[in-house]
Amino acid sequence: MIKNIHFVVKSVFMVCLCVYFLEAENAPVKGVNTPMIQPQKEAMFDWRIFGGVGFGMRFGSPSYSISFESLTPIYLSADAMIAPELIFKNGNGFNIFMDVEAHQWSLGANYVYEFTGKDKYAFMSGFDIGKYFDETKEGYLYPSWYYKDPIVKWNLGVRYRAQKQAIGLNLKVPLFETTVYDSDETPLYKSYTGVIVSVMYSYFFKL
């Protein structure tokens, strides 16, 4: 009986020693700074790159006859654009874009305000300047009319974005008249290039 008591006492003593050493090993060491996980700071702005394709109508044309200037012909219009965009956390931002359409290219910039929340609606307004890079070959009296002067347009648009895809409605209004020339570089008359209303589909390559 006594031997059993000694065995029990020794076992309890060994268990107590094990518990003591385990607690001492896990206890924090004084004077040593334990590393703390810092929360990742949220970026102050969103940097994006997107491309888009637009289809719409042009009201007014650079290639109709002088005798019919009072008319406002309507033509189909298609264009493509690519743009980097920067939006701050308060919703304000801008994009710088290159736009290419039939016989014309332009560079421009838009102010962008994107509303915060689940639905990413955005408002855009800005300007672009460009030129015709090819002659227009329509009409009967002057089959090769073209422009020399830069074409300056005011842009206004709205956009809805869902993750990387967006759809928007754009309005482009020419601000100045440009001179129409014939194939012999003879100035014919001053004309607007036409107001364009189009629907634009965009895809964001980087968000």
Side-chain angles (χ1 to χ4, degrees):
M1 183 69 179
I2 295 176
K3 291 182 179 180
N4 291 337
I5 292 175
H6 285 182
F7 176 77
V8 172
V9 171
K10 288 180 181 180
S11 300
V12 172
F13 179 72
M14 293 297 296
V15 171
C16 292
L17 285 177
C18 292
V19 172
Y20 172 78
F21 283 115
L22 286 173
E23 290 183 351
E25 184 179 355
N26 294 329
V29 180
K30 293 183 179 180
V32 178
N33 294 328
T34 57
M36 297 181 63
I37 300 175
Q38 297 290 339
Q40 188 175 4
K41 293 184 179 180
E42 189 177 3
M44 295 179 61
F45 56 84
D46 292 332
W47 179 254
R48 312 162 178 174
I49 299 176
F50 69 89
V53 180
F55 299 94
M57 307 293 289
R58 180 191 296 271
F59 298 87
S61 170
S63 58
Y64 50 83
S65 173
I66 298 175
S67 60
F68 295 100
E69 279 189 60
S70 58
L71 300 180
T72 306
I74 300 174
Y75 293 86
L76 293 175
S77 176
D79 64 326
M81 67 181 298
I82 186 168
E85 183 173 275
L86 188 148
I87 302 293
F88 292 94
K89 289 305 178 182
N90 60 6
N92 292 283
F94 63 92
N95 59 37
I96 300 173
F97 62 89
M98 181 178 69
D99 195 357
V100 180
E101 55 184 284
H103 305 291
Q104 183 182 341
W105 65 269
S106 59
L107 296 174
N110 283 327
Y111 161 77
V112 181
Y113 181 79
E114 187 173 75
F115 295 91
T116 58
K118 182 179 178 181
D119 296 326
K120 298 295 184 180
Y121 291 97
F123 164 83
M124 293 172 285
S125 181
F127 301 92
D128 68 71
I129 181 170
K131 289 197 68 176
Y132 268 80
F133 56 78
D134 194 8
E135 296 180 352
T136 58
K137 298 180 180 179
E138 298 179 16
Y140 298 98
L141 298 179
Y142 302 95
S144 57
W145 295 353
Y146 67 98
Y147 287 124
K148 278 186 175 180
D149 305 330
I151 301 168
V152 182
K153 297 190 294 291
W154 169 63
N155 304 308
L156 181 66
V158 291
R159 182 183 72 195
Y160 172 73
R161 179 173 65 86
Q163 298 299 324
K164 289 190 173 184
Q165 300 185 76
I167 189 167
L169 180 66
N170 294 325
L171 174 68
K172 299 181 180 181
V173 181
L175 298 181
F176 306 103
E177 291 182 331
T178 57
T179 304
V180 179
Y181 294 84
D182 62 15
S183 57
D184 296 325
E185 297 192 359
T186 302
L188 301 178
Y189 65 97
K190 290 282 189 177
S191 173
Y192 283 103
T193 58
V195 175
I196 300 175
V197 179
S198 61
V199 176
M200 176 73 70
Y201 166 80
S202 302
Y203 181 83
F204 286 77
F205 302 101
K206 179 186 179 303
L207 279 177

